Amino acid sequence: MTAPIDPGMPCPSRREVLRGLAALPFAARGWPDLRTAPRRSPARSLILLWLDGGMSHLDTFDAKPEAPAAIRGDLGSIRGVIDGTFVSSHLPQLAARLDRCTLIRSLTHADGNHDRGSHVLLTGYRPSAVLEYPSLGAVANARLPAALGPAAALPRYVTIPEPPQYGGAGFLPGRHAPFATGGDPRRADFRVRDLTPPADAATTAELAALLDRLDGAPRSADEEARDAAVARVHQLAADPEARAPFELHRESAEIRARYGRNTLGQSLLLARRLAAAGVGVTVVRDRGWDHHQNIARAMTYGFPPKLEALDQGMAALLDDLRDQGLDERVTVCVASEFGRTPRLNPAGGRDHWPRAQSVLLAGAGIASGSVVGTTDARGEEPAEDPVSPADLYATLCEVLGVPTDEPLHTDDGRPVPVVARGGRVIAGALA
Amino acid sequence: MTKSSRASVFSAAVLSCLALTSIQGQESASQRPTCFTTDVLPWLTRQGCAAAECHGGGTGRGGLKLSLFGGDPRADWQALAVDRGGRRVDTLAPEHSLLLRKPSRDLPHGGGLRLPRDSEPWQALRDWIAEGARFGTPGAVTIESLALRGVEDGARLQAKAEFVWTDPESGVLRRTVEDVTDRVTFASTAPDRVEVDRTGRVTVHGPGRALVSARLLNLGAELPIVTGFGEDVPADPADGVLDAAWRADLAALGLRPAHAAPDATLLRRLYLTLVGRPPTPSERDAWLATPASRRAETTARDLLDSDGFTAQATRWLAEWFEVPDPRTSPEHLRARDRGLRARLETLAANRGPLRDVLLAELRSDGPLLTRHADARDRAEFVGRAWLGIRLGCARCHDHPHDRWRRDDHLGFSAVFPDARPAAEGGMMRGVLFDEEASGRAVTPSLAPVVDVEPTAPQDLATLRGALRDDRRVARALTNRILAALLGGRGLVEPPDDHRATNPAALPGLLDAATDRLIALDFDLRAFVLEAVSSSWFALDSARSSDDPLDGARARYLARRTATALDEATWQRCVASVLGREPLAPPTDEAQSPLSLELARWHGAEIVQTLHGDRGGGDLVDALVDFETDDRARLEGLFVACLSRAPSDAEIEALLPRLTAAADPRAFLHRLAHALLASREGTSLR
């Protein structure tokens, strides 16, 4: 069994990189040279686990054991390791790790459909008829300094497997759109889309470099952007270590089992690899949380049950980050577009409820063992410390180091603040 | 907005474009009665009190809420003089008024010093308070027009407004012209080139074209400022109408145009622009066989008559009318989008006047409209697609510096039937259900958009008739066509944002092109033929080292801008070269550039296509089997992939490698891939 490659360990030596690129003369001529810049401490990274559909807060992180059965549901609850917290009995591992997290229980907004709710959480803004707002990942891609060294070849905003709705670049230039891995990381044959070069790719790349060199300088910003992307492609093709963060199959069976051999767990493991390698924002999109019917069964049945997969995957991620020392530079956020109705509907499910929802934060820049806000006895409304999606967005910008003082600009020059008006950093969430 | 005030805005813009004021009237403000709207409100805007960050914001500041930039004078007067028992003003001791003491920092003020004591705005507010802090009789004093001109050799701007007022003693209507420079808000469309400060002082930082503007209440005036680059641009007596206008624009800027593109570049550009694919080798041969002076026009004429142009025009219409490629649509919308595309293909094939063809689609059961369920979405779509204007902001709030108010948006939206039930928020004709005024009836109104008699039916038939002779439709359409011919960027950008403060990069060319399109009775093919036969279409895209990537030469069409081929076009290029059907485009339109390039270089389908037996093999096999030497094979590959022969440098670099290759076919496969995915192969130059 080969030892797992740890993307957090020092990268291959300069000699090894250069040897691998010996067939490619592009570095000296015309294309941006991504190899030779000095390394520096990698900037912070964010892993956003997006539970697509609307995670029920009462059936996960804000259980109400004292509420009537029609509200508390059938899943049971246990005490979290932090006093006063009750989580689903199907999340025992996370319950025991809450002292390493910040739990926000009082996130509230007014947009109860999937489109609008996703928009307001992922961009910090309510939808507009006039503007398509960029997601946090795109903004981070635009605002954070470029990665140096081997991480320079990696995209800085990645979605696994596809971006959620409104997870794109919005009005920002297309180069800030996310890189989607595609596929299902659970599969043994999982490979990130188009990453593996074909046989003799080096020859094709060398010929392309020759042609571009003879062509002279790029003639426009479009051609310059193309050159930058092509440089990344060819570095990824030439250097197996540059591709390594995407190669989930390099992980040991033990590690993969720890995260859970399911799509969510393996996606979180892939996200950890990418964050450790310096990818700025990685969004893991897990579908199927829109439980309008028989929510108890929907969350606890299947292969694996959704709550079990969430519990195992997130616990493994938190432990893995800590064990590798990555919790000092990788932030984790679990969020969804809204919560779900406190009262069970006639079909035994819960419907959309934006007035109260829970968010879990952990890792770099995040307070340990902190709880922000409470909801009332029925989980209907924030009772203390309500926070808005703009507040959450501002907080994530803060921990990522995304500058928010200068506005973004649309293609017609309109200034748009990075954080929606009124959004404030949630002090109780910061370390 | 009323018809008269809209006319005033238009006349102000005309006056400003002449760069001279022709307002006649007596300059005597002291005889005119004071009015809150005309004499107090502008100061509050000018001093920043009514800005979004302060009292003009959604919830105001410090308990005082004003309308954004003075958009609602009556509400502002109410807030200042009536609310809270009128405690903000003291008509008996005006200088003790909170309205004066706080912004002059006589009392703590979160907004800082805004009205220094005894300054002109302070005095104006004081005088108004002393006179009773009245709103004034509505309409007793109005500002009819605003004009802007340069003074002090252009170092400063001067704004003058024409006030119309009723003499309180004689009842006679009087007009006075007043200098309002100190109370307008100045702005520049290009502050990096031309900066204007709040006093109207102009600082030119660099050559180019900019528009400076002044705003006073809901009136605006603009003044173009052109600073030349200092190059000679001689006229060409052989120029046609379009070229003459283009060259005149460049002469005004002092920007010499680049040379014409090389022959091979122009050939490829014509084909990619008009039919969305590169020329075949035999088409290239036909081009070379045509006398050089007639190549472009002859080729363009043939292409415009082909089905290929109909397909390309369909793609243009799809972009203008926001119809997605059905292959990328969600499954539940695919059938609908296929139907829309088929409809657009019918329109593209129609040889009738394009304006009429498109206006005919402006009907309540038209599929282009009905795909928008909400009447407000339909109204905004009509604005973007047919008129090239953005109405969306006015859906939610008033922008007093813009023509459109929220009521205008409501009235225009009410013209469009809405399929949704009212209980679901739908907007049925004549009735609005909205958050603030549920059940309030809204009268359909075309007045915000077109000049029609108030008694005319406010419906789509009337709208179609009014738009038929509306130059804005012609201008927006012209700009869209020019954008398609120039690689995706028109003379007004974005193309759905035509307004006074977003001027065309080359206003003379846009106007001349609009006139030609009208004169040709909106014959799309005739207009395109004329355009692609022009010198500005044939400009080279190569640049010198002192010419920035997207600098002035590109911005002002002194040089052609190379633009990236979109994914679907590049796929068609590959398919055309290989003689096969295009691969399906990616399903996710919002891919990152890295994703796209990975697909081009590593994608399984591309690799199999180019390197294997499916097409790529055919091309290479033909070269290997039918050409007798390596040089001919190399040249054949370049002609097939890039529509040109290889340069001497390329032959020198590649021929030895081909000759030495152990597997020439494999080498040519790789080279074909490299050519098609090269910078040149993925660009429209």
Side-chain angles (χ1 to χ4, degrees):
Chain A
M1 180 187 299
T2 56
I5 294 194
D6 182 351
M9 296 294 288
C11 292
S13 70
R14 181 185 172 92
R15 178 173 298 197
E16 288 166 330
V17 171
L18 288 175
R19 186 183 306 129
L21 290 164
L24 295 175
F26 68 87
R29 304 168 173 87
W31 290 350
D33 188 339
L34 304 175
R35 305 167 305 152
T36 57
R39 292 196 65 215
R40 66 177 189 202
S41 298
R44 282 184 178 169
S45 299
L46 170 69
I47 297 173
L48 169 62
L49 173 57
W50 180 254
L51 302 181
D52 206 351
M55 173 187 73
S56 166
H57 54 300
L58 283 104
D59 296 301
T60 54
F61 298 109
D62 194 13
K64 302 291 183 183
E66 303 297 320
I71 290 174
R72 72 172 182 266
D74 300 323
L75 294 181
S77 59
I78 55 176
R79 288 181 183 277
V81 72
I82 305 174
D83 280 347
T85 59
F86 291 88
V87 302
S88 168
S89 61
H90 296 264
L91 298 174
Q93 299 189 66
L94 281 176
R97 288 166 174 76
L98 283 183
D99 57 344
R100 289 151 51 186
C101 305
T102 286
L103 174 61
I104 299 173
R105 297 186 292 195
S106 53
L107 186 68
T108 182
H109 62 92
D111 292 290
N113 81 11
H114 295 292
D115 288 4
R116 296 181 67 86
S118 297
H119 190 286
V120 76
L121 262 292
L122 291 169
T123 72
Y125 279 88
R126 301 189 74 186
S128 161
V130 189
L131 280 183
E132 191 177 340
Y133 289 93
S135 66
L136 175 61
V139 173
N141 197 4
R143 279 294 167 91
L144 292 176
L148 301 177
L154 295 174
R156 296 199 293 162
Y157 175 26
V158 176
T159 58
I160 304 170
E162 304 294 346
Q165 191 177 19
Y166 301 114
F171 61 71
L172 292 177
R175 63 180 179 273
H176 301 303
F179 174 82
T181 63
D184 183 348
R186 172 189 63 174
R187 295 175 60 91
D189 62 351
F190 169 74
R191 297 291 185 273
V192 171
R193 184 189 300 159
D194 300 329
L195 191 63
T196 306
D200 205 17
T203 302
T204 313
E206 184 198 349
L207 290 172
L210 171 66
L211 293 169
D212 287 349
R213 187 175 77 249
L214 294 175
D215 183 54
R219 299 186 177 194
S220 65
D222 276 5
E223 291 193 355
E224 189 178 60
R226 172 261 173 204
D227 285 0
V230 169
R232 278 183 163 167
V233 168
H234 293 310
Q235 180 168 4
L236 287 169
D239 184 1
E241 296 311 312
R243 295 197 300 275
F246 288 101
E247 295 177 338
L248 196 53
H249 57 274
R250 293 186 177 219
E251 291 287 353
S252 69
E254 179 203 352
I255 296 287
R256 297 193 74 170
R258 195 184 305 165
Y259 274 80
R261 279 286 194 175
N262 54 74
T263 301
L264 192 157
Q266 296 302 298
S267 297
L268 288 173
L269 175 56
L270 179 58
R272 188 271 282 154
R273 292 179 63 84
L274 295 174
V279 172
V281 174
T282 305
V283 176
V284 173
R285 181 186 185 185
D286 190 56
R287 295 182 188 251
W289 290 84
D290 189 21
H291 299 126
H292 289 281
Q293 296 175 333
N294 203 346
I295 189 170
R297 178 181 168 83
M299 294 180 90
T300 57
Y301 194 80
F303 299 98
K306 293 200 81 65
L307 286 178
E308 180 181 312
L310 175 65
D311 193 46
Q312 180 179 8
M314 276 298 301
L317 177 64
L318 294 177
D319 291 349
D320 204 5
L321 292 174
R322 178 195 58 191
D323 295 343
Q324 298 199 39
L326 293 172
D327 57 349
E328 294 297 315
R329 64 178 181 86
V330 179
T331 305
V332 179
C333 174
V334 181
S336 194
E337 58 257 52
F338 37 62
R340 304 199 78 82
T341 49
R343 180 173 290 278
L344 292 166
N345 65 30
R350 300 188 194 270
D351 303 312
H352 305 172
W353 191 260
R355 287 152 61 178
Q357 68 182 107
S358 297
V359 173
L360 190 69
L361 298 169
I366 301 298
S368 297
S370 176
V371 178
V372 174
T374 59
T375 53
D376 59 26
R378 298 155 75 92
E380 291 178 341
E381 305 275 357
E384 293 176 325
D385 300 330
V387 299
S388 70
D391 294 335
L392 177 64
Y393 193 96
T395 305
L396 294 176
C397 286
E398 176 73 17
V399 298
L400 266 178
V402 174
T404 58
D405 45 351
E406 289 294 321
L408 305 167
H409 286 90
T410 63
D411 59 1
D412 58 349
R414 174 175 169 170
V416 178
V418 173
V419 178
R421 192 181 305 277
R424 286 175 170 69
V425 174
I426 305 169
L430 297 184
Chain B
M1 177 179 286
T2 64
K3 188 174 174 181
S4 61
S5 60
R6 184 168 65 247
S8 298
V9 171
F10 178 74
S11 63
V14 169
L15 287 168
S16 69
C17 285
L18 293 173
L20 291 171
T21 177
S22 61
I23 295 174
Q24 301 298 320
Q26 181 180 3
E27 299 224 10
S28 174
S30 60
Q31 300 171 342
R32 176 175 63 74
T34 306
C35 171
F36 173 79
T37 300
T38 56
D39 297 293
V40 175
L41 209 49
W43 289 116
L44 298 178
T45 300
R46 167 62 180 262
Q47 300 307 109
C49 309
E53 296 78 21
C54 294
H55 299 291
T59 54
R61 282 289 180 102
L64 173 62
K65 167 78 178 77
L66 299 176
S67 64
L68 184 65
F69 300 135
D72 190 345
R74 173 66 73 170
D76 290 346
W77 171 78
Q78 179 85 20
L80 292 171
V82 177
D83 286 353
R84 301 203 178 186
R87 73 186 190 95
R88 293 189 172 103
V89 297
D90 186 342
T91 57
L92 297 179
E95 298 183 12
H96 291 173
S97 302
L98 283 175
L99 181 58
L100 291 177
R101 294 188 68 194
K102 295 198 83 172
S104 63
R105 296 295 289 272
D106 197 27
L107 291 173
H109 182 227
L113 180 64
R114 293 284 168 176
L115 297 176
R117 190 181 175 83
D118 296 327
S119 64
E120 190 167 354
W122 188 93
Q123 291 280 5
L125 264 67
R126 185 212 168 279
D127 290 346
W128 170 70
I129 296 170
E131 291 173 11
R134 282 184 281 271
F135 183 73
T137 305
V141 181
T142 58
I143 302 177
E144 285 257 312
S145 59
L146 181 68
L148 191 62
R149 69 172 183 169
V151 295
E152 297 179 18
D153 283 332
R156 278 193 179 281
L157 297 175
Q158 181 185 49
K160 288 193 175 183
E162 183 180 24
F163 289 76
V164 178
W165 49 285
T166 303
D167 190 310
E169 292 184 3
S170 65
V172 171
L173 203 64
R174 306 268 309 264
R175 292 174 183 274
T176 53
V177 172
E178 299 174 24
D179 189 322
V180 292
T181 305
D182 53 3
R183 73 199 76 161
V184 299
T185 306
F186 292 107
S188 168
T189 57
D192 57 324
R193 295 195 287 280
V194 176
E195 191 180 348
V196 55
D197 70 12
R198 62 199 309 271
T199 70
R201 175 163 292 282
V202 175
T203 305
V204 176
H205 294 297
R209 180 186 299 277
L211 200 73
V212 291
S213 63
R215 291 286 179 268
L216 179 66
L217 298 177
N218 65 340
L219 294 179
E222 296 82 27
L223 191 65
I225 294 182
V226 180
T227 309
F229 290 84
E231 296 175 357
D232 274 336
V233 186
D236 186 340
D239 275 349
V241 168
L242 297 182
D243 275 337
W246 164 70
R247 215 178 291 277
D249 276 335
L250 291 185
L253 285 163
L255 260 185
R256 191 181 308 118
H259 298 295
D263 202 55
T265 301
L266 186 57
L267 167 65
R268 182 176 160 87
R269 181 188 298 171
L270 263 179
Y271 270 80
L272 283 171
T273 301
L274 297 184
V275 294
R277 63 165 175 83
T280 63
S282 59
E283 288 169 337
R284 175 177 176 267
D285 290 341
W287 164 276
L288 292 173
T290 305
S293 63
R294 291 173 37 221
R295 280 175 186 167
E297 185 178 340
T298 302
T299 302
R301 200 180 291 278
D302 291 341
L303 293 177
L304 289 167
D305 260 338
S306 70
D307 291 341
F309 178 72
T310 299
Q312 183 73 333
T314 302
R315 288 186 279 270
W316 292 354
L317 291 175
E319 183 174 338
W320 303 348
F321 290 95
E322 304 165 11
V323 174
D325 187 330
R327 293 171 294 178
T328 64
S329 300
E331 195 173 335
H332 66 286
L333 296 176
R334 215 162 281 165
R336 180 202 70 176
D337 290 341
R338 269 199 292 270
L340 284 170
R341 280 279 177 146
R343 180 70 196 154
L344 292 179
E345 190 169 349
T346 305
L347 301 181
N350 192 322
R351 299 288 182 125
L354 184 61
R355 173 202 57 197
D356 298 348
V357 168
L358 297 180
L359 283 179
E361 296 301 302
L362 192 52
R363 59 182 198 278
S364 58
D365 61 345
L368 292 176
L369 274 191
T370 56
R371 63 185 283 254
H372 300 279
D374 189 306
R376 289 162 290 191
D377 290 337
R378 292 182 189 183
E380 290 166 19
F381 171 66
V382 169
R384 291 194 302 273
W386 275 272
L387 284 159
I389 59 175
R390 292 181 172 182
L391 313 176
C393 294
R395 182 193 287 222
C396 302
H397 44 245
D398 290 332
H399 278 181
H401 293 167
D402 291 340
R403 294 184 53 190
W404 284 75
R405 303 298 186 98
R406 195 160 175 269
D407 285 346
D408 297 329
H409 191 290
L410 289 172
F412 187 51
S413 299
V415 173
F416 299 89
D418 183 339
R420 296 179 305 158
E424 294 178 9
M427 185 178 181
M428 297 187 296
R429 182 181 174 81
V431 178
L432 166 68
F433 290 82
D434 77 32
E435 295 169 1
E436 295 178 12
S438 180
R440 177 167 68 93
V442 172
T443 304
S445 172
L446 296 173
V449 180
V450 289
D451 273 336
V452 293
E453 291 299 324
T455 54
Q458 305 294 299
D459 59 17
L460 289 180
T462 304
L463 179 62
R464 285 194 299 272
L467 289 182
R468 197 175 183 284
D469 295 316
D470 193 319
R471 189 177 172 84
R472 292 174 299 170
V473 172
R475 194 167 188 264
L477 193 51
T478 302
N479 187 60
R480 294 270 193 187
I481 298 170
L482 293 179
L485 300 180
L486 291 172
R489 189 171 177 88
L491 298 181
V492 173
E493 281 291 327
D496 61 352
D497 195 17
H498 289 250
R499 52 186 160 87
T501 50
N502 186 31
L506 295 178
L509 175 58
L510 182 58
D511 281 342
T514 304
D515 290 340
R516 281 307 292 159
L517 184 63
I518 295 171
L520 292 168
D521 198 21
F522 295 87
D523 182 334
L524 174 63
R525 287 159 177 77
F527 177 78
V528 170
L529 179 63
E530 201 165 307
V532 301
S533 305
S534 301
S535 300
W536 52 265
F537 180 80
L539 286 171
D540 198 5
S541 60
R543 62 184 186 91
S544 60
S545 57
D546 62 349
D547 178 5
L549 282 174
D550 287 334
R553 292 194 184 281
R555 190 186 316 129
Y556 296 117
L557 197 52
R559 164 172 70 78
R560 172 86 178 201
T561 299
T563 54
L565 295 178
D566 61 73
E567 193 56 19
T569 303
W570 186 76
Q571 297 278 2
R572 278 198 304 278
C573 288
V574 173
S576 171
V577 169
L578 303 180
R580 50 164 290 157
E581 288 300 308
L583 301 171
T587 55
D588 183 353
E589 290 192 59
Q591 287 193 91
S592 69
L594 179 61
S595 301
L596 287 173
E597 291 297 339
L598 279 172
R600 283 180 181 169
W601 292 97
H602 298 171
E605 290 233 25
I606 286 289
V607 170
Q608 287 172 16
T609 298
L610 285 168
H611 298 203
D613 296 332
R614 295 161 52 191
D618 290 345
L619 169 65
V620 169
D621 282 346
L623 289 172
V624 172
D625 293 342
F626 293 106
E627 296 294 347
T628 55
D629 65 43
D630 284 338
R631 184 180 178 119
R633 293 174 183 132
L634 196 61
E635 289 178 351
L637 198 64
F638 267 76
V639 168
C641 295
L642 295 181
S643 312
R644 65 171 176 85
S647 66
D648 291 341
E650 287 163 339
I651 292 174
E652 183 180 337
L654 293 168
L655 189 57
R657 297 192 56 169
L658 173 58
T659 304
D663 184 348
R665 288 175 198 265
F667 179 83
L668 289 172
H669 285 152
R670 308 287 179 270
L671 183 56
H673 192 171
L675 285 167
L676 288 166
S678 67
R679 186 193 296 140
E680 182 181 351
T682 55
S683 185
L684 171 56
R685 292 181 158 180

